[in-house]
Amino acid sequence: QVQFVESGGGLVQSGGSLRLSCVVSRSIFTIYNMGWYRQASGKQRELVASITITDNTEYTDSVKGRFTVSRDNAKNTAYLQMNNLKPEDTAVYYCNTPTYLRVWGQGTLVTVSS
């Protein structure tokens, strides 16, 4: 079974930075695009950033210029560098494979205080 293990969340002040990590089962990491999602309290889960196996990236408008997604195939790990964080970025962040959603991991909580 594929597993996603997210980490790196925490409490940060507005304008601060965090780097999230997602370790993925080796069996799929090198053959699937990866996506970072977030779910704020009372809202639907949304895709905020994605990276293909050839390192092409896409971002939702609200995070463009602030978030950077990357991947390290040798470590089966995807990253989300988040800069200039805003209170509206507060959410639980998850990773998954956008082209074929799998069982979600536990996620990592990001809280941005104003």
Side-chain angles (χ1 to χ4, degrees):
Q1 181 177 346
V2 175
Q3 289 187 322
F4 303 102
V5 180
E6 302 93 347
S7 63
L11 173 63
V12 63
Q13 290 187 334
S14 182
S17 298
L18 286 172
R19 187 193 194 203
L20 307 184
S21 299
C22 169
V23 179
V24 186
S25 301
R26 183 175 60 185
S27 61
I28 68 153
F29 187 80
T30 57
I31 60 175
Y32 278 91
N33 301 337
M34 291 300 303
W36 279 98
Y37 299 77
R38 68 185 179 188
Q39 186 168 21
S41 180
K43 295 187 178 181
Q44 289 189 334
R45 195 169 302 182
E46 62 169 339
L47 176 65
V48 297
S50 62
I51 183 167
T52 69
I53 57 175
T54 55
D55 290 341
N56 292 316
T57 59
E58 291 188 354
Y59 302 90
T60 193
D61 286 346
S62 61
V63 307
K64 282 181 181 177
R66 301 188 298 120
F67 289 13
T68 302
V69 59
S70 60
R71 62 192 297 159
D72 185 336
N73 290 340
K75 296 182 179 180
N76 303 319
T77 302
Y79 301 98
L80 186 67
Q81 177 67 44
M82 306 186 297
N83 298 327
N84 190 22
L85 282 161
K86 303 176 180 181
E88 52 264 41
D89 295 318
T90 295
V92 180
Y93 285 72
Y94 304 86
C95 61
N96 212 311
T97 47
T99 52
Y100 182 70
L101 291 178
R102 306 171 189 274
V103 175
W104 295 94
Q106 294 296 310
T108 186
L109 175 62
V110 172
T111 304
V112 184
S113 63
S114 57

